[in-house]
């Protein structure tokens, strides 16, 4: 594979294949970071906003977005904070991540957001903030429509 995922020229959609962690379907605008996310002290679960000092997404909310990131960092508080984000209506629509850990697995489950990992191509090399992403957590399939850059 070219390192870009498979692409359908007629539709302009890039397809990534991974392993579904939480099933279901979601779509939305991508929010991409190369920084790991800390749950405890790193996010405000009432707004879905990253609050961690020096994080590239500081001040930005992931609520309703397809969150694309390397993985979780920090303590087991990760799942608790993302659970609060879900019950506050501020959770990501879906999560795509590279490194599977127990804290992110539990966080994905309590968030109820379709989640995929173990991709054939690194999603951080293909997806950019603002792209439109469709996630099928049952099949581990991700479709990316690149945003028109102006």
């Amino acid at each position: 594979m070219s390192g870009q995922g498979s692409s359908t020229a007629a539709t302009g959609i890039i397809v990534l294949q991974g392993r579904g962690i939480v099933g279901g379907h979601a779509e939305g605008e991508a929010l991409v970071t190369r920084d790991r996310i800390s749950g405890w002290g790193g996010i405000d679960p009432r707004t879905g906003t990253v609050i961690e000092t020096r994080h590239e997404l500081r001040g930005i909310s992931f609520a309703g977005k397809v969150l694309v990131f390397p993985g979780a960092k920090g303590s087991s508080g990760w799942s608790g904070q993302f659970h609060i984000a879900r019950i506050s209506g501020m959770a990501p629509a879906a999560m795509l991540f590279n490194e599977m850990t127990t804290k992110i697995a539990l966080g994905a489950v309590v968030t109820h957001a379709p989640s995929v990992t173990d991709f054939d191509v690194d999603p951080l090399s293909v997806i950019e903030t603002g792209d439109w992403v469709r996630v099928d957590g049952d099949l581990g399939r991700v479709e990316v429509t690149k945003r028109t850059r102006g």
Side-chain angles (χ1 to χ4, degrees):
M1 192 162 289
S2 68
Q4 290 288 315
S6 63
S7 181
T8 306
T11 63
I13 295 173
I14 299 167
V15 178
L16 304 177
Q17 187 62 49
R19 178 170 59 100
I21 301 302
V22 175
H25 299 84
E27 61 183 277
E29 183 180 348
L31 179 62
V32 181
T33 179
R34 294 190 177 284
D35 292 344
R36 294 178 180 281
I37 295 178
S38 176
W40 188 260
I43 67 165
D44 178 345
R46 297 163 300 172
T47 62
T49 302
V50 176
I51 60 172
E52 181 180 348
T53 305
R54 295 184 299 275
H55 195 286
E56 70 176 319
L57 294 182
R58 184 170 185 189
I60 299 173
S61 176
F62 50 67
K65 308 257 183 179
V66 176
L67 184 59
V68 184
F69 61 117
K73 69 177 178 180
S75 71
S76 58
W78 209 87
S79 59
Q81 293 297 90
F82 275 81
H83 175 70
I84 294 168
R86 180 184 65 81
I87 61 177
S88 298
M90 295 295 150
M95 294 191 292
L96 310 176
F97 50 89
N98 291 333
E99 184 184 5
M100 177 62 140
T101 61
T102 54
K103 72 178 125 254
I104 201 166
L106 183 55
V109 168
V110 301
T111 304
H112 297 190
S115 301
V116 181
T117 191
D118 293 340
F119 290 94
D120 56 352
V121 174
D122 181 358
L124 295 170
S125 71
V126 176
I127 304 171
E128 298 173 87
T129 294
D131 291 345
W132 192 258
V133 181
R134 299 179 77 178
V135 179
D136 182 334
D138 299 317
L139 297 177
R141 180 182 167 95
V142 175
E143 296 178 358
V144 181
T145 303
K146 301 301 287 180
R147 139 181 105 163
T148 305
R149 310 280 186 229

